């Protein structure tokens, strides 16, 4: 997406650390640096994929975006309004416009409510329409996500995994959102069902024009659905660019290594991906005790002295392609203009 489009939502310097208490007697508390300085924007109608290994801060980033948790530092701007400082009442209209779809719809759907009530509940909470209008809206939502009208009387446990996710989607759609954070929405589903749900999400975006932050550790899924992709490592974005560039010409050694682990489809327009040679070794270091310099250097086949001491900034190396890696610092050695 071009920078000329006004973003729907933008984050700057977004951080979240969780305090940890060590030992029974409250020994010195440390901190989990779950999200450690994120900068990105999502345009209207755009899907930004967010990928990275378990524990790198994807879900925390999604929850910060919706302000389900408070940031330790940084800004979240929704159409130019900083929502981080808003009180409950001022936040309400933004809550209507931002929704979430969870990995496990079963855990997030009330087991004692009928499916129709689950989908209609956001309308009741926000006082939208009268009872008849809400019934009509719920019926339309059921039809739109591919559920039968008679299923409105059923309870969540009576649905299959895929149907439950359709229910979660219908509920997320009820208030006419502009942004939906999808946190691993197909990871818990059978492979055969995944494509149906992904295609439904994409069709709905075409029809309603909302934006997605699509969180997943599954690169194949992210490649299918995203317009642009951000790769996270230990709380930071290491690479962000459009889907085609990320999958065909990644620059960060971590992105290369992640792609190495994805099976390459046999038939691919353009002849498939380049063969790469540096698979990912070792585990993600702890977000409590992070390596100095570039967080990725202990696992990086290309690491040199500078990587061990100096943290690389996320910078735009070609238009629309941002990378945080000393191999791709490029440009003049001395900055032409000192940052103000
Ligand atoms: N409420 C919390 N209290 C303490 N630590 C937390 C909390 N939530 C997340 N963390 C820690 O923050 C880090 C990032 O967690 P997060 O759930 O955002 O990662 P993730 O990328 O979504 O992982 P996964 O792929 O496993 O879902 C992890 O180390 C996690 O243990
Ligand atoms: Mg998660």
């Amino acid at each position: 997406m071009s920078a000329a489009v006004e973003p729907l939502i933008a984050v700057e310097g977004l951080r979240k650390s969780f305090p940890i208490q060590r030992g029974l007697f409250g020994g010195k508390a440390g901190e989990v640096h779950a999200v450690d300085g994120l900068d990105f924007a999502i345009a209207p109608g755009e899907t930004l994929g967010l990928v990275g290994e378990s524990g790198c801060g994807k879900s925390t980033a999604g929850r910060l975006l919706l302000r389900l948790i408070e940031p330790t530092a940084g800004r979240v701007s929704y159409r130019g309004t900083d929502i981080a400082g808003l009180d409950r009442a001022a936040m309400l209209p933004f809550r209507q416009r931002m929704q979430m779809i969870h990995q496990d719809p079963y855990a997030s759907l009330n087991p004692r409510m009928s499916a129709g009530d689950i989908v209609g509940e956001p309308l009741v909470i926000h006082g939208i329409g009268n009872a008849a209008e809400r019934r009509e809206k719920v019926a339309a939502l059921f039809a739109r996500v591919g559920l039968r009208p008679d299923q409105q009387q059923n309870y969540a446990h009576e649905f299959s995994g895929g149907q439950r996710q359709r229910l979660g989607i219908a509920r997320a759609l009820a208030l006419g959102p502009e942004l939906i954070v999808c946190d691993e929405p197909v990871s818990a589903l059978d492979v055969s069902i995944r494509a149906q749900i992904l295609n439904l999400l994409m069709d709905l975006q075409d029809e309603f024009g909302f934006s997605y932050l699509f969180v997943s550790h599954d690169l194949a899924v992210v490649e299918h659905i995203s317009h642009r992709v951000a790769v996270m490592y230990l709380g930071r974005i290491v690479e962000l660019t459009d889907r085609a560039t990320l999958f065909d010409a990644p620059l960060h050694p971590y992105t290369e290594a992640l792609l190495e682990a994805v099976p390459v489809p046999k038939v691919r327009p353009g002849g498939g991906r380049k063969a790469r040679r540096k698979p990912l070794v070792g585990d993600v270091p702890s977000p409590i005790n992070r390596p100095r310099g570039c967080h990725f250097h202990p696992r990086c086949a290309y690491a040199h002295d500078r990587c061990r001491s100096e943290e690389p900034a996320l910078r735009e190396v070609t238009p629309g392609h941002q990378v945080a890696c000393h191999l791709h610092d490029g440009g003049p050695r001395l900055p032409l203009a000192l940052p103000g």
Side-chain angles (χ1 to χ4, degrees), residues 146-287:
L147 292 171
R148 295 189 317 270
D150 62 281
Q151 289 180 304
Q152 282 190 44
Q153 273 71 57
N154 294 357
Y155 290 84
H157 73 267
E158 298 174 89
F159 289 80
S160 68
Q163 287 173 337
R164 268 203 298 265
Q165 199 50 292
R166 290 176 194 274
L167 200 57
I169 293 169
R171 182 180 159 99
L173 290 179
L175 296 170
E178 294 179 320
L179 172 71
I180 303 181
V181 171
C182 304
D183 193 352
E184 307 270 9
V186 298
S187 305
L189 301 178
D190 282 0
V191 174
S192 59
I193 310 290
R194 282 185 195 169
Q196 292 174 16
I197 298 295
L198 287 177
N199 289 337
L200 173 62
L201 290 171
M202 291 166 83
D203 289 347
L204 291 168
Q205 184 179 51
D206 282 346
E207 185 174 336
F208 299 108
F210 40 65
S211 308
Y212 289 126
L213 178 75
F214 193 94
V215 169
S216 179
H217 65 275
D218 185 336
L219 280 159
V221 166
V222 164
E223 183 175 18
H224 189 70
I225 200 164
S226 307
H227 299 111
R228 288 188 306 148
V229 180
V231 179
M232 273 185 87
Y233 191 77
L234 271 184
R236 296 187 186 151
I237 290 175
V238 296
E239 182 157 13
L240 199 171
T241 187
D242 64 273
R243 171 197 27 203
T245 306
L246 190 101
F247 283 90
D248 293 331
L251 291 178
H252 200 287
Y254 178 60
T255 313
E256 281 197 13
L258 276 184
L259 290 179
E260 185 67 24
V262 179
V264 179
K266 287 225 167 53
V267 185
R268 234 180 108 90
R273 263 169 218 145
K274 287 185 294 186
R276 295 186 185 83
R277 256 171 245 108
K278 310 280 188 199
L280 199 53
V281 289
D283 293 325
V284 187
S286 157

Side-chain angles (χ1 to χ4, degrees), residues 8-319:
L8 175 70
I9 194 154
V11 306
E12 280 170 64
L14 194 62
R15 285 176 205 278
K16 178 70 185 180
S17 41
F18 297 101
I20 41 167
Q21 213 67 45
R22 249 195 262 275
L24 271 178
F25 305 104
K28 186 175 169 9
E31 269 185 320
V32 182
H33 301 275
V35 162
D36 194 23
L38 297 185
D39 296 278
F40 65 82
I42 307 177
E46 183 186 34
T47 299
L48 178 68
L50 193 57
V51 296
E53 288 164 283
S54 182
C56 71
K58 304 178 299 293
S59 296
T60 304
R63 287 156 68 209
L64 285 169
L65 207 61
L66 300 184
R67 221 183 136 210
L68 300 175
I69 50 175
E70 299 298 330
T72 309
R75 283 169 61 91
V76 178
S77 311
Y78 194 93
R79 293 194 184 281
T81 303
D82 184 4
I83 59 170
L86 300 182
D87 63 21
R88 236 184 131 79
M91 196 57 211
L92 255 190
F94 293 96
R95 296 243 176 266
Q96 280 194 32
R97 294 189 237 164
M98 305 193 285
Q99 294 295 320
M100 183 141 188
I101 294 172
H102 299 267
Q103 168 169 359
D104 179 3
Y106 196 46
S108 61
L109 301 174
N110 188 332
R112 279 179 290 275
M113 274 171 92
S114 71
D117 286 347
I118 286 174
V119 172
E121 189 184 40
L123 300 168
V124 175
I125 291 172
H126 287 269
I128 293 167
N130 58 35
E133 286 162 346
R134 287 198 291 265
R135 268 198 302 278
E136 204 175 306
K137 175 85 187 171
V138 169
L141 287 166
F142 264 66
R144 185 60 195 84
V145 301
L147 292 171
R148 295 189 317 270
D150 62 281
Q151 289 180 304
Q152 282 190 44
Q153 273 71 57
N154 294 357
Y155 290 84
H157 73 267
E158 298 174 89
F159 289 80
S160 68
Q163 287 173 337
R164 268 203 298 265
Q165 199 50 292
R166 290 176 194 274
L167 200 57
I169 293 169
R171 182 180 159 99
L173 290 179
L175 296 170
E178 294 179 320
L179 172 71
I180 303 181
V181 171
C182 304
D183 193 352
E184 307 270 9
V186 298
S187 305
L189 301 178
D190 282 0
V191 174
S192 59
I193 310 290
R194 282 185 195 169
Q196 292 174 16
I197 298 295
L198 287 177
N199 289 337
L200 173 62
L201 290 171
M202 291 166 83
D203 289 347
L204 291 168
Q205 184 179 51
D206 282 346
E207 185 174 336
F208 299 108
F210 40 65
S211 308
Y212 289 126
L213 178 75
F214 193 94
V215 169
S216 179
H217 65 275
D218 185 336
L219 280 159
V221 166
V222 164
E223 183 175 18
H224 189 70
I225 200 164
S226 307
H227 299 111
R228 288 188 306 148
V229 180
V231 179
M232 273 185 87
Y233 191 77
L234 271 184
R236 296 187 186 151
I237 290 175
V238 296
E239 182 157 13
L240 199 171
T241 187
D242 64 273
R243 171 197 27 203
T245 306
L246 190 101
F247 283 90
D248 293 331
L251 291 178
H252 200 287
Y254 178 60
T255 313
E256 281 197 13
L258 276 184
L259 290 179
E260 185 67 24
V262 179
V264 179
K266 287 225 167 53
V267 185
R268 234 180 108 90
R273 263 169 218 145
K274 287 185 294 186
R276 295 186 185 83
R277 256 171 245 108
K278 310 280 188 199
L280 199 53
V281 289
D283 293 325
V284 187
S286 157
I288 302 165
N289 264 318
R290 298 158 305 162
R292 271 168 55 89
C294 172
H295 289 162
F296 185 58
H297 86 254
R299 301 170 81 188
C300 182
Y302 309 93
H304 50 283
D305 280 350
R306 195 177 167 204
C307 310
R308 289 181 263 273
S309 57
E310 191 185 325
E311 178 192 329
L314 185 67
R315 60 177 81 206
E316 194 166 46
V317 293
T318 54

